[in-house]
Amino acid sequence: MQWLDDTRAFMRRDQVFDIVRPVASSGRVDTRHGPILYLEDVTVSFDGFRALDALTLYIDDGELRCIIGPNGAGKSTMMDVITGRTRPDNGGAWFGQRLDLLRMDETEIAQAGIGRKFQKPTVFPRHRVVENLELAMAGPRGVWSALTARLDRSTRERIDEVLEEIGLADQGRALAGQLSHGQKQWLEIGMLLMQNPRVLLVDEPVAGMTHQEMDRTAELLTRLAGRHSVVVVEHDMEFVRSIARKVTVLHQGSVLAEGSMEEVQSDPRVIEVYLGE
Amino acid sequence: MTVKMTPSGSATDLIPLAAHRRILHGDLGGKILLGLMAALIVVVPILNLAVPSDSPMHISTYAVTLMGRYLCFALLALSLDLVWGYCGILSLGHGAFFALGGYAMGMYLMRQIGDRGVYGDPVLPDFMVFLGWEELPWYWLGFDQFWFAALMVLAVPGTLGFVFGWLAFRSRVTGVYLSIISQAMTYALMLAFFRNEMGFGGNNGLTDFKDILGFSISAPSTRVALFVASALALALSYLICRAIVRSRLGRVVTAVRDAEPRTRSIGYRTDRYKVWVWTVSAMLAGLAGALYVPQVGIINPSEFSPLNSIEAVVWVAVGGRGTLFGAALGGALVNYAQTLLTAWLAELWLFVLGGLFVAVTLFFPRGLVGLLRRREGS
Ligand SMILES: Nc1ncnc2c1ncn2[C@@H]1O[C@H](COP(=O)(O)OP(=O)(O)O)[C@@H](O)[C@H]1O
Ligand SMILES: [Mg+2]
């Protein structure tokens, strides 16, 4: 029983209570050895089916990485593991060298600096666009600070800036639920920008976008790399080609190939997976 | 004069600078509610105390007390709307917080009786003498002081709310399951309070009150004062709720209502927000109960009845969930309708109430307020 476990955890004498434990902060992310994300031997099974099968993957600090793979390859599941939504049966996941993602919960991971855009765009439908951005904004997340929070000038300017950047300047007042699919995608990216995380996980960002919108997304994501580490999952090959420096191909839950777009595209195994079905 | 049409720098104005600034901005219903309370506070005492009783303008003390009770129900509905309308937690046990606030006040009123009870014991309430108890149980200590009782009116429901919320929300109990355990909570409390050993008067509860703060509880002026206190409490609580829902905390809470996993994924500990709002709501419900008890003159375990909590949900639904003032309106109006109808429909009332709930759910999901707004919009 959960309550029983909670009580036991509460009674343990060899540890401090959650409330007084310092929240893992992005300042503690240690990337001296290069990678900012380490996934090692990660296995996730759903009723015996291995969605991730001993997946090992490293993402360097500041890099822009594209992850491709057929439907069901485990791309979204990988993001679930990194963000603490799904616990793997096996393996390790580290944020920098020191933060063990498997020992942190979803909120801690988000606060530590990993932001995510979901495959199915999820915004707060009954909040206005500006309010969605406000809620995502980096800053204290406590109840009392939320009660007394006020919106200062610099924050307002930041929100306006992001609105401009995601092309929703005219939609600021609209309810997020009324946006089109593509606009919701943009709003989610905008929420990521407000969160200002070290790592951005972006799941299928251009689904439902026009070519023009795709180009802007590509430009935006390339601009973000360097300041942030960006991991993009995408189906659209043209889009991937337009942004990718390094591509990882996932297949049946593990890495099939890794390298530049040209290398990956000429890899016979990749060709087989993509064309042989 | 130039009209600013630039898209930037305008939309963020929608987010209030700080919650306490211009708290009623754009809130017509709230202004009406507060205006009404102000008017009642001025007019009702005059019409009851200053206008002679043979004048057609006179309001009887009975009517004043009745209205005071409606205001208490409005406050209970308001507290329920805070958790249900804004945080999406459907409580079927808010009557428990109301009753606990009522009991805290009742204990104070019992101790005010002093040696004027049937058995004339200077300290022990009658029912304890009757049970053959020698001394006051420890948890009755302090209730002879009004300030202590007033504190307990908030602290007892607040503590129960906090503990319940902490256990339930941390374990991620939501939806129907949460509604059911909240109902179980009030039911369990009802059974407990029925027992004589609990020391709260068993199934008779607490009654035969004499004084409050030294004033006779049945005197018209006291009744009027209680009415005014209820109106003030409703107005103040409305402002508190409004400040909460207008703050960023309010926006987080509605985000939890609409998409809790998403709220968690941007770094909010949603369980803490829920516990906080739930606790505040429990305290407001307790306040409503505390004002209710001196006006009806009795508190007994039937106040914990699961049916009471369900009725409160109907009030909120009828008035308009997620609007605060609509809920308050529903609390007062439905009870007024009940008073009118019970004269000739006493047994049928629950069917009427049930029918009302079904009708509202099917035809006006936004309640009376939604209906009014639609009228206004068309
Ligand atoms: N919660 C779940 N329960 C059962 N199976 C799941 C669950 N989530 C994902 N899967 C399965 O795991 C596989 C990988 O899914 P996913 O990570 O969403 O793939 P994609 O690469 O298309 O994002 C799919 O076959 C999917 O059906
Ligand atoms: Mg996917």
Side-chain angles (χ1 to χ4, degrees), chain A:
Chain A
M1 272 225 15
Q2 174 72 36
W3 296 3
L4 213 58
D5 293 342
D6 283 346
T7 322
R8 289 210 183 102
F10 192 73
M11 305 289 274
R12 276 177 59 180
R13 304 185 62 175
D14 56 341
Q15 64 175 35
V16 291
F17 297 135
D18 289 350
I19 8 174
V20 288
R21 204 190 294 159
V23 179
S25 69
S26 52
R28 282 170 51 205
V29 179
D30 178 359
T31 56
R32 274 174 302 173
H33 291 257
I36 191 163
L37 272 182
Y38 299 71
L39 290 181
E40 286 170 346
D41 250 348
V42 174
T43 299
V44 174
S45 327
F46 296 113
D47 307 321
F49 168 76
R50 294 197 161 185
L52 292 183
D53 192 1
L55 172 72
T56 297
L57 186 71
Y58 304 98
I59 307 292
D60 280 334
D61 195 14
E63 99 170 287
L64 171 59
R65 173 78 63 94
C66 277
I67 301 199
I68 59 175
N71 256 328
K75 305 178 298 286
S76 297
T77 307
M78 175 202 77
M79 291 198 171
D80 285 343
V81 169
I82 298 171
T83 52
R85 281 212 159 185
T86 300
R87 292 280 177 228
D89 310 327
N90 215 337
W94 296 79
F95 183 27
Q97 282 194 283
R98 268 193 253 147
L99 295 179
D100 183 353
L101 292 172
L102 302 186
R103 300 182 60 163
M104 297 161 72
D105 68 17
E106 219 182 330
T107 332
E108 280 169 336
I109 293 172
Q111 288 176 2
I114 297 184
R116 173 173 186 186
K117 189 204 91 60
F118 289 83
Q119 178 171 353
K120 181 175 169 286
T122 29
V123 295
F124 300 115
R126 290 200 267 176
H127 287 69
R128 294 171 195 282
V129 168
V130 280
E131 291 171 335
N132 271 270
L133 294 177
E134 181 217 7
L135 288 179
M137 183 175 58
R141 290 288 196 249
V143 177
W144 290 105
S145 54
L147 186 64
T148 53
R150 37 196 318 173
L151 212 57
D152 53 32
R153 178 171 293 279
S154 66
T155 324
R156 275 169 194 273
E157 281 167 5
R158 176 74 191 130
I159 292 179
D160 284 331
E161 224 174 85
V162 170
L163 273 179
E164 203 70 52
E165 206 157 12
I166 60 177
L168 291 178
D170 295 333
Q171 262 84 25
R173 289 160 183 269
L175 294 182
Q178 290 168 352
L179 298 180
S180 71
H181 188 80
Q183 287 173 324
K184 279 183 193 156
Q185 302 268 43
W186 276 98
L187 177 54
E188 264 214 75
I189 295 175
M191 288 165 76
L192 268 185
L193 295 177
M194 293 300 296
Q195 254 178 289
N196 197 21
R198 285 292 293 273
V199 175
L200 289 86
L201 306 176
V202 192
D203 202 344
E204 307 209 2
V206 299
M209 282 190 181
T210 63
H211 264 285
Q212 234 173 349
E213 288 173 329
M214 267 193 218
D215 290 345
R216 288 188 57 188
T217 313
E219 185 206 333
L220 182 61
L221 290 177
T222 354
R223 192 139 40 89
L224 288 174
R227 274 188 292 155
H228 312 260
S229 312
V230 185
V231 180
V232 183
V233 161
E234 194 39 75
H235 264 312
D236 192 295
M237 282 304 158
E238 205 159 323
F239 178 77
V240 172
R241 201 170 296 121
S242 68
I243 60 171
R245 294 154 206 189
K246 191 170 174 188
V247 179
T248 300
V249 185
L250 278 197
H251 181 54
Q252 294 181 348
S254 44
V255 174
L256 183 69
E258 202 164 80
S260 72
M261 193 69 188
E262 289 76 37
E263 283 164 21
V264 163
Q265 270 184 318
S266 53
D267 188 315
R269 286 170 308 170
V270 176
I271 295 172
E272 165 151 7
V273 164
Y274 265 94
L275 303 176
E277 49 189 354

Side-chain angles (χ1 to χ4, degrees), chain B residues 30-171:
Chain B
K31 284 176 191 154
I32 294 174
L33 181 79
L34 292 187
L36 195 63
M37 288 308 114
L40 287 176
I41 287 170
V42 175
V43 172
V44 168
I46 295 175
L47 294 186
N48 176 258
L49 299 173
V51 174
S53 58
D54 49 7
S55 155
M57 295 293 287
H58 177 77
I59 296 183
S60 71
T61 305
Y62 174 76
V64 171
T65 299
L66 206 56
M67 287 192 291
R69 279 165 54 186
Y70 298 152
L71 295 183
C72 296
F73 291 136
L75 179 50
L76 173 59
L78 182 75
S79 74
L80 184 59
D81 194 28
L82 187 64
V83 285
W84 186 31
Y86 289 86
C87 198
I89 310 168
L90 173 56
S91 167
L92 293 179
H94 252 50
F97 303 126
F98 182 86
L100 285 175
Y103 265 98
M105 178 56 89
M107 288 162 81
Y108 163 75
L109 296 172
M110 284 309 264
R111 302 223 36 197
Q112 284 273 292
I113 297 173
D115 60 5
R116 289 168 295 173
V118 178
Y119 296 105
D121 190 296
V123 178
L124 293 190
D126 277 348
F127 73 87
M128 291 188 194
V129 182
F130 183 77
L131 290 172
W133 291 12
E134 301 283 306
E135 56 180 303
L136 214 56
W138 61 267
Y139 48 84
W140 274 76
L141 297 175
F143 277 95
D144 51 334
Q145 302 292 324
F146 183 78
W147 67 264
F148 182 78
L151 194 68
M152 289 300 122
V153 158
L154 299 176
V156 172
T159 308
L160 175 69
F162 180 79
V163 171
F164 178 94
W166 196 77
L167 292 173
F169 300 136
R170 267 181 54 108
S171 311

Side-chain angles (χ1 to χ4, degrees), chain B residues 28-370:
Chain B
L28 180 63
K31 284 176 191 154
I32 294 174
L33 181 79
L34 292 187
L36 195 63
M37 288 308 114
L40 287 176
I41 287 170
V42 175
V43 172
V44 168
I46 295 175
L47 294 186
N48 176 258
L49 299 173
V51 174
S53 58
D54 49 7
S55 155
M57 295 293 287
H58 177 77
I59 296 183
S60 71
T61 305
Y62 174 76
V64 171
T65 299
L66 206 56
M67 287 192 291
R69 279 165 54 186
Y70 298 152
L71 295 183
C72 296
F73 291 136
L75 179 50
L76 173 59
L78 182 75
S79 74
L80 184 59
D81 194 28
L82 187 64
V83 285
W84 186 31
Y86 289 86
C87 198
I89 310 168
L90 173 56
S91 167
L92 293 179
H94 252 50
F97 303 126
F98 182 86
L100 285 175
Y103 265 98
M105 178 56 89
M107 288 162 81
Y108 163 75
L109 296 172
M110 284 309 264
R111 302 223 36 197
Q112 284 273 292
I113 297 173
D115 60 5
R116 289 168 295 173
V118 178
Y119 296 105
D121 190 296
V123 178
L124 293 190
D126 277 348
F127 73 87
M128 291 188 194
V129 182
F130 183 77
L131 290 172
W133 291 12
E134 301 283 306
E135 56 180 303
L136 214 56
W138 61 267
Y139 48 84
W140 274 76
L141 297 175
F143 277 95
D144 51 334
Q145 302 292 324
F146 183 78
W147 67 264
F148 182 78
L151 194 68
M152 289 300 122
V153 158
L154 299 176
V156 172
T159 308
L160 175 69
F162 180 79
V163 171
F164 178 94
W166 196 77
L167 292 173
F169 300 136
R170 267 181 54 108
S171 311
R172 302 209 180 160
V173 179
T174 53
V176 180
Y177 300 101
L178 188 111
S179 303
I180 291 172
I181 62 168
S182 67
Q183 177 108 95
M185 168 189 76
T186 193
Y187 190 66
L189 282 169
M190 178 174 77
L191 296 185
F193 273 71
F194 264 126
R195 302 187 70 88
N196 282 326
E197 315 88 272
M198 279 285 282
F200 296 108
N203 58 354
N204 296 322
L206 311 174
T207 186
D208 291 331
F209 308 136
K210 304 266 191 288
D211 295 339
I212 181 165
L213 288 168
F215 299 99
S216 164
I217 204 158
S218 54
S221 54
T222 313
R223 293 294 167 133
V224 167
L226 285 168
F227 171 83
V228 169
S230 307
L232 280 176
L234 180 59
L236 194 68
S237 304
Y238 183 83
L239 288 173
I240 292 174
C241 291
R242 183 80 193 146
I244 291 172
V245 303
R246 259 173 73 82
S247 68
R248 182 175 300 160
L249 189 150
R251 289 188 288 282
V252 175
V253 161
T254 38
V256 170
R257 175 193 68 191
D258 295 339
E260 181 167 3
R262 183 69 173 116
T263 319
R264 229 181 271 128
S265 79
I266 50 175
Y268 291 97
R269 292 215 169 276
T270 57
D271 51 344
R272 293 197 188 153
Y273 281 80
K274 286 163 117 178
V275 173
W276 193 91
V277 172
W278 179 264
T279 306
V280 170
S281 168
M283 290 197 282
L284 292 180
L287 177 62
L291 288 160
Y292 176 78
V293 166
Q295 301 191 69
V296 292
I298 183 168
I299 172 82
N300 63 33
S302 66
E303 288 300 335
F304 285 105
S305 157
L307 212 53
N308 286 18
S309 302
I310 294 171
E311 277 191 54
V313 170
V314 180
W315 307 339
V316 176
V318 167
R321 178 187 165 202
T323 59
L324 295 180
F325 70 91
L329 186 76
L333 280 189
V334 175
N335 280 288
Y336 178 59
Q338 181 176 10
T339 312
L340 291 183
L341 286 181
T342 36
W344 47 281
L345 268 181
E347 319 79 56
L348 287 183
W349 171 246
L350 279 179
F351 292 98
V352 172
L353 199 68
L356 200 60
F357 185 58
V358 173
V360 164
T361 319
L362 289 181
F363 303 116
F364 337 103
R366 316 222 39 203
L368 287 173
V369 169

